[in-house]
Structure formats: C-alpha cells, structure tokens
Amino acid sequence: MSFRRGVVRQSKFRHVFAQAWKAEHCIDDVRVSRVTWDSPLCAVNPKFIAVIVEAGGGGAFLVVPIGKSGRIDQSCPMVCGHAAPVLDIQWSPHDDNIIASASEDCTVKVWQIPDGGLVAPMTEAIVTLEGHSKRVGILAWHPTAFNILLTAGCDNVILVWNVGTGELVYQLPDAHPDLIYSVSWNKNGSAVCTVCKDKALRVIDPRRGTVLKVKEKVHDGTRPMRAVFLSDGKILTTGFSRMSERQLALWDTKDLSEPMAVQEMDTSNGVLLPFYDPDTNMVYLLGKGDCTIRYFEVTEESPYVHFLSLYSSKEPQRGAGYLSKRGVDVNKCEIARFYKLHERKVEPISMTVPRKSDLFQGDLYPDTAGLEPALLADEWISGQDAPPILVSLSGGYAAPPSKHRDTIRSKPKLISQDSGSGAAPTPTATNPAKDVEEEEPRLASRETPGNMDRSKREDDVFGELLSEMKALRAVVLAQSQRIELLERQLARIEDGDV
C-alpha cells in the first residue's frame, strides 16, 4: 500500500477513530438482500433506516425508525410494491419521509413513510416513474432543487424526473455506449459526473443533454468504477488498475489529462463505494465483502488525498448506509455514522474526533445542508442554479417547521396521491386567500389592550399566511412559464421545426 504516512501532517481529523456500537444497539434478524448489484443496499436519514431485503416473488425493503434496535420480527411490515428485486434506495434530501426505490422491474417508485414507521405493508407508491426499458439500478436526488430525481438503468439511459408531477423532464439516451456504473451531482446540481463500462469519466449538463468533459480510461482495470463530485468541483474516482489493484484517484475538471493524485490499496475484488462528506472534505471507502472502512482527507496541498486511518472488524460488510450530518451526535464529536450490513444484522459504526471539551466544536461542524430546498423543480428546469441552504448544528439539529417547504409539498401530485399515509395538506395551502380573509376580522376583534400578547401571536400568524400566499404565487408563475414553454415546443413540433 502506498499510503503517505511518513510526514506528520497537521489536521484536526488525523485522530478520527471508528467504533462499533454495542450489540444491544444493533438491529438483528434482517435478511439483507443477496442481489449482486453493487449498491450500498441501505439508506439512512435522521428519521429512518431503510435496508433492501430478500423477498419472495418481488422486491421489498425494510424501513424502521432510526432509534430501533433488537430483533426484527418476521411479520414486520415492509415496503413491497415492486414486482422484481429492488436494486437501489435513496431518501429525499429535502423531506425525511420521502424515499425512492429502483428495481429490476424497470420502474422507479416514490414512497411516503409515515412518522413513526410502517404499521402495515406498503404496496401503493405515491408516484411510479416508468421510462426505462431495462432494470434500473441508480438513483440520485438533486441536492438543491425540490423533487428532481435522476435515474439510470441497464438500458444505458439517464432520465431526469420532476417527481412532483411524475413528469419526465430530460432524457439522455446517447451519452453512454455501455452500462453506467455511477452518477453523482455536483454541489449546486448544475452538472453530473458519470463513469461507464467503457472506462470513461464524463461530466454532463443534464438540462442541455451535452457532455461537457470526457476522460478516457480513468482506471485501466475492467471491474466497475465509482465517481463522486467534491464540493470544490473536483472529482474523486475509485476503480482497478491493470493488475487488478484497487485505486483511488482525484481529478481536476479543468484539466482531465492527468489525475492530481492516485493511491493504490490492495488486490481485493470488491468494488470500493465512496461516501463523501462535503463539510469535512473527508472520503470514506467501503468495499463490498471487505472487513475495513478506509477514510481519507482531501486538501488543497500536495499530495491532495491524505490517508487518515482504517476501521477493521472480523465480519465482512454486505453494504452500508451513510447518515447525513444532520443526524450525528454533536455532543460526542461524532462527525460520521455508518450502518454496516451483515448477513442478518445492521450495526451502527460512529466516526468520532476525540475532544476533551464539552462545548460545541464549531471547527468540526461547519454549517451543513438542511432540509430546505434552494429551488423549486420548475426553477431548476428553467435554468436556475443555487447552492444548498445551510443550517447550524450548534446544539444538535432539529428540523424547523418550514412554511416554504410545507407550501411546496402541497403542490406536487406525490402528496395529493398519498391517501394512505395519513398526510393531509395544510389549510393554508388549500385555500390561502380564504384563510387570510377569515383571519383578518378575527385579529381585529381580539386586538384589546388586555390581550396584546395574543394579538402579537396572531399578527405573526397573519404574516406567515401572507408569506405562504407569496410562495404559492411564485409556484403558479413558474407553472405558467412551464406551460408556455411546452406550448411553444408543441407548436414547433406541429410546424415541423423539430
């Protein structure tokens, strides 16, 4: 192994250590899927853990609250609406109750998980996306635009969907000549990077359908590769050398002629899955079938990729889920948490920076991406880009009641279709004008000198209602612009211009 360990380098992450949780905090009797697809088989957010499991006659995945531990009963309800094995699952970055699943049945389904978890088997998705002609194995939610989902299948096609309307908005049928191994959005969601069976790395603008950059033979080996966009625009790839050694490489998108750094690790044959933390600029590598988790820090100075340490255990991992920064325990200086999949068990593993102080460690926890989307789907489709909206982790993260998010959640079809999950649209989203008219006289009637506190609260309510009305007007305007664009495209088609 060619890790550079000779020079002692100053870094607050140099002493990060990993520790598995005790057996009583693990989840037991989980029949992890035996599907051969190279996905993590697990997705985690601050509310839920989802694991793809074995299912007879179709595809299913288990969803349990994140605090769940102990044995999973065989009668435990699951999400089981696919007709063939599930290959990938991903939680929405903007709603902790929304999860997408991709399957061998050529469909992608979007589900709304009720707070507290499932009480009965879930078979009806709130949206089913049908556009692929072969099995679908890759899902990637847009990092900043609400309800935008990218899917890739074994038909070598990338599709981009507006989940809120169930509409296919972009299709890239010719960008890849062979099987797509992985897709990753950049920080603001203006481009994606992909790696393919032809060994090429591509940077693609999905809205224009154009390939911006191509690097042939990123890794010489024939086994699958992975690529992930870093927050500064660089790309990190994992793959195999000509001699079947596993490699990690860092690429500058401004010049793809040569990698900025290459590190060779071992000759194991498991595909290295990269998990990237944009807040700390750390990369965690998990190989399927490995007993180790390696972690690295990416910096601006040479050699750019610095090996920190590795976590070793006795049992190999079938996959793993990576918890977003909003869910870690800041009081224990936990900077990352994985949920390692064994054959019949889910085991949490915490990555911690040892600190003596009990105070909030601001240098370990810069502001991180919160639930609030920076853009509506139609704004991104119309060409806008925006970085993630950041939140502070000081004192731990608690999702605030967001009037903007509630308003746009009531707009898409995926919520109105959801009759079985117990979610109902807020009154302000169904008829905001009527609510304002009813609220105004009520405020006036209660405005007495002896009731100033209550009046102030009601003034705040009135202000929130007006804000929601403005948000609704923006949605209507964006939809009108979208309709005009579609009408112009239809007219061009009818006139024979396309």
Side-chain angles (χ1 to χ4, degrees), residues 76-98:
C76 180
M78 298 186 186
V79 181
C80 47
H82 282 286
V86 177
L87 299 180
D88 195 14
I89 47 177
Q90 294 290 333
W91 291 103
S92 166
H94 304 127
D95 190 330
D96 284 341
N97 294 74
I98 298 292

Side-chain angles (χ1 to χ4, degrees), residues 203-244:
V203 179
I204 298 172
D205 182 339
R207 286 176 293 200
R208 289 191 291 165
T210 55
V211 178
L212 306 176
K213 303 261 185 171
V214 179
K215 169 59 181 175
E216 307 287 346
K217 282 201 173 182
V218 178
H219 296 277
D220 291 327
T222 56
R223 293 187 56 75
M225 301 181 292
R226 288 290 184 273
V228 60
F229 251 122
L230 307 188
S231 57
D232 60 1
K234 298 183 180 69
I235 297 173
L236 185 135
T237 62
T238 64
F240 293 79
S241 70
R242 195 187 305 272
M243 304 302 291
S244 294

Side-chain angles (χ1 to χ4, degrees), residues 179-192:
L179 181 66
I180 302 166
Y181 285 142
S182 80
V183 180
S184 173
W185 292 96
N186 66 353
K187 184 177 182 178
N188 67 358
S190 60
V192 296

Side-chain angles (χ1 to χ4, degrees), residues 37 87 132-138 152-157 178-180:
W37 191 255
L87 299 180
H132 289 281
S133 60
K134 294 184 179 179
R135 60 181 181 168
V136 191
I138 296 173
C154 293
D155 50 8
N156 311 335
V157 175
D178 212 328
L179 181 66
I180 302 166

Side-chain angles (χ1 to χ4, degrees), residues 36-94:
T36 55
W37 191 255
D38 286 320
S39 77
L41 302 179
C42 180
V44 190
N45 69 21
K47 276 189 180 180
F48 299 106
I49 303 168
V51 181
I52 302 174
V53 294
E54 283 290 296
F61 59 96
L62 174 73
V63 178
V64 295
I66 195 164
K68 170 74 176 173
S69 61
R71 182 175 172 273
I72 295 293
D73 193 87
Q74 294 304 310
S75 61
C76 180
M78 298 186 186
V79 181
C80 47
H82 282 286
V86 177
L87 299 180
D88 195 14
I89 47 177
Q90 294 290 333
W91 291 103
S92 166
H94 304 127

Side-chain angles (χ1 to χ4, degrees), residues 400-453:
S402 165
K403 51 183 179 294
H404 179 56
R405 190 165 69 94
D406 289 342
T407 301
I408 58 178
R409 272 187 58 184
S410 67
K411 171 182 72 75
K413 188 168 68 175
L414 72 84
I415 299 304
S416 64
Q417 288 181 349
D418 180 25
S419 57
S421 68
T426 59
T428 56
T430 54
N431 195 349
K434 181 173 180 291
D435 288 344
V436 173
E437 289 169 2
E438 291 174 357
E439 190 70 28
E440 198 165 3
R442 191 158 68 243
L443 286 172
S445 66
R446 295 181 184 180
E447 189 70 17
T448 61
N451 206 12
M452 292 300 291
D453 288 341

